[in-house]
Amino acid sequence: MIQITAKLASKLKSCNSVCVLTGAGISAESGVPTFRGPEGLWSKFKPEELANVQAFLANPALVWEWYRYRKTLLKNVSPNPAHIALVKMEKHFKDFTLVTQNVDNLHARAGSHKVLCLHGNIDKNYCMTCAKDFNDANLAQTTVPKCDCGGLVRPGVVWFGESLPTQTFEEAESAARRSQLFLCIGTSAVVYPAASLPLIAKECGSYVVEINPEVTELSAIADESIFEKAGVALPQLVDIIPKN
Ligand code: NAD
Ligand code: ZN
């Protein structure tokens, strides 16, 4: 059992406004590798070297091979108890915002209704020339899929060096500002601007709690760190919320 402080318990029991930021770590227990963990064949490439537009233009076949591997991996995994705990939280709090850096769609598959996806969605793809959307089912099965207009089709995720969808980030920032409790789960808290959200929340007086088995950049700033796996800690937090 984790230790839940009286302060955190009282926030969970009585606050109205909660904002949650998740990163790759929340999906680790579903079997989705984080960028820091071993990824077999792909461990010799740094994600930053593959997940950027220059790498894609230089070698679209290699980048597509990596994304096909990740898409296939994701089709064979399921949401874990941490994703499910957040579905329960969404139902309980009047003002609840779930923000994720993940592209794996596991929050939606678990049943969360509203998810702010800061880095896009790996199930989507679009043409770099005319912006037409393609889902995986209507994507050409060639090594490098092309649009009818001749443009290159790319995965619908935000790559290193690209800006985040403006409106989505603004909504996330506003939720961080008005939150009374901010949970930062399974993120190394180094990828900006997502990593600024707990800092903004803290500045605005929110109670910032980190859940991560390891110390991160946020640990020194957070009001509390729960050094535990998300799938272990989150269901225990949900258990102390009064049932309504
Ligand atoms: P990261 O890989 O940099 O960090 C993952 C963090 O999760 C680490 O701090 C690690 O200690 C922690 N962690 C590992 N297992 C955990 C568990 N069971 N419970 C809680 N925490 C755990 O990931 P990041 O901070 O999300 O940033 C990297 C970028 O990579 C993001 O932009 C993200 O979009 C992308 N990414 C996404 C996925 C995905 O969609 N599942 C997977 C890999 C990377
Ligand atoms: Zn096109």
Side-chain angles (χ1 to χ4, degrees), residues 22-29 32-37 39 47 70 74 100-106 119 122 158 160 185-191 194 211-216 228-231:
T22 66
I26 197 167
S27 298
E29 289 159 85
V32 184
T34 64
F35 278 172
R36 283 150 188 260
E39 229 184 322
R70 293 178 61 205
L74 285 170
T100 189
Q101 300 172 84
N102 294 345
V103 296
D104 57 28
N105 217 18
L106 285 174
H119 295 162
I122 203 169
V158 177
F160 289 97
I185 307 166
T187 168
S188 53
V190 289
V191 180
I211 302 175
N212 195 313
E214 288 176 24
V215 175
T216 73
E228 183 52 272
K229 289 182 174 176

Side-chain angles (χ1 to χ4, degrees), residues 164-232:
L164 270 54
T166 314
Q167 201 194 333
T168 308
F169 190 73
E170 280 170 9
E171 277 183 54
E173 208 178 335
S174 149
R177 279 184 201 290
R178 64 177 190 270
S179 68
Q180 296 159 298
L181 174 64
F182 187 100
L183 302 177
C184 192
I185 307 166
T187 168
S188 53
V190 289
V191 180
Y192 278 82
S196 65
L197 294 172
L199 309 180
I200 292 169
K202 172 98 183 163
E203 259 174 40
C204 295
S206 188
Y207 195 67
V208 176
V209 178
E210 164 182 63
I211 302 175
N212 195 313
E214 288 176 24
V215 175
T216 73
E217 297 284 315
L218 185 66
S219 308
I221 301 143
D223 292 294
E224 290 186 25
S225 293
I226 299 175
F227 294 112
E228 183 52 272
K229 289 182 174 176
V232 174

Side-chain angles (χ1 to χ4, degrees), residues 127 130 147 149:
C127 170
C130 72
C147 176
C149 81

Side-chain angles (χ1 to χ4, degrees), residues 127-132 134 147-151:
C127 170
M128 289 178 84
T129 305
C130 72
K132 182 176 170 187
F134 292 83
C147 176
D148 331 317
C149 81

Side-chain angles (χ1 to χ4, degrees), residues 3-244:
Q3 288 292 332
I4 301 176
T5 62
K7 186 89 190 257
L8 175 55
S10 105
K11 295 276 174 194
L12 286 167
K13 284 176 188 160
S14 61
C15 79
N16 291 322
S17 185
V18 177
C19 183
V20 178
L21 173 67
T22 66
I26 197 167
S27 298
E29 289 159 85
S30 293
V32 184
T34 64
F35 278 172
R36 283 150 188 260
E39 229 184 322
L41 168 68
W42 294 103
S43 60
K44 60 184 157 90
F45 296 99
K46 284 202 183 113
E48 297 87 326
E49 288 165 11
L50 294 171
N52 76 72
V53 78
Q54 289 80 13
F56 183 69
L57 294 174
N59 194 344
L62 174 72
V63 175
W64 262 114
E65 196 184 340
W66 185 51
Y67 275 94
R68 285 212 172 86
Y69 155 78
R70 293 178 61 205
K71 282 172 190 272
T72 309
L73 189 142
L74 285 170
K75 294 205 165 67
N76 295 311
V77 303
S78 308
N80 68 55
H83 298 104
I84 291 160
L86 292 176
V87 178
K88 293 184 182 154
M89 279 197 192
E90 179 182 56
K91 288 189 184 130
H92 176 79
F93 291 103
K94 282 198 186 77
D95 177 18
F96 181 85
T97 307
L98 175 54
V99 185
T100 189
Q101 300 172 84
N102 294 345
V103 296
D104 57 28
N105 217 18
L106 285 174
H107 287 303
R109 281 175 55 195
S112 284
H113 287 107
K114 196 178 172 221
V115 186
L116 299 177
C117 295
L118 295 181
H119 295 162
N121 182 337
I122 203 169
D123 290 345
K124 296 188 175 157
N125 314 278
Y126 66 91
C127 170
M128 289 178 84
T129 305
C130 72
K132 182 176 170 187
D133 287 326
F134 292 83
N135 58 31
D136 287 349
N138 64 16
L139 197 62
Q141 285 310 304
T142 46
T143 319
V144 178
K146 296 254 177 69
C147 176
D148 331 317
C149 81
L152 278 174
V153 177
R154 59 164 279 178
V157 302
V158 177
W159 280 332
F160 289 97
E162 295 180 325
S163 30
L164 270 54
T166 314
Q167 201 194 333
T168 308
F169 190 73
E170 280 170 9
E171 277 183 54
E173 208 178 335
S174 149
R177 279 184 201 290
R178 64 177 190 270
S179 68
Q180 296 159 298
L181 174 64
F182 187 100
L183 302 177
C184 192
I185 307 166
T187 168
S188 53
V190 289
V191 180
Y192 278 82
S196 65
L197 294 172
L199 309 180
I200 292 169
K202 172 98 183 163
E203 259 174 40
C204 295
S206 188
Y207 195 67
V208 176
V209 178
E210 164 182 63
I211 302 175
N212 195 313
E214 288 176 24
V215 175
T216 73
E217 297 284 315
L218 185 66
S219 308
I221 301 143
D223 292 294
E224 290 186 25
S225 293
I226 299 175
F227 294 112
E228 183 52 272
K229 289 182 174 176
V232 174
L234 270 176
Q236 294 182 48
L237 297 191
V238 168
D239 274 350
I240 69 163
I241 296 174
K243 310 279 173 286
N244 48 3

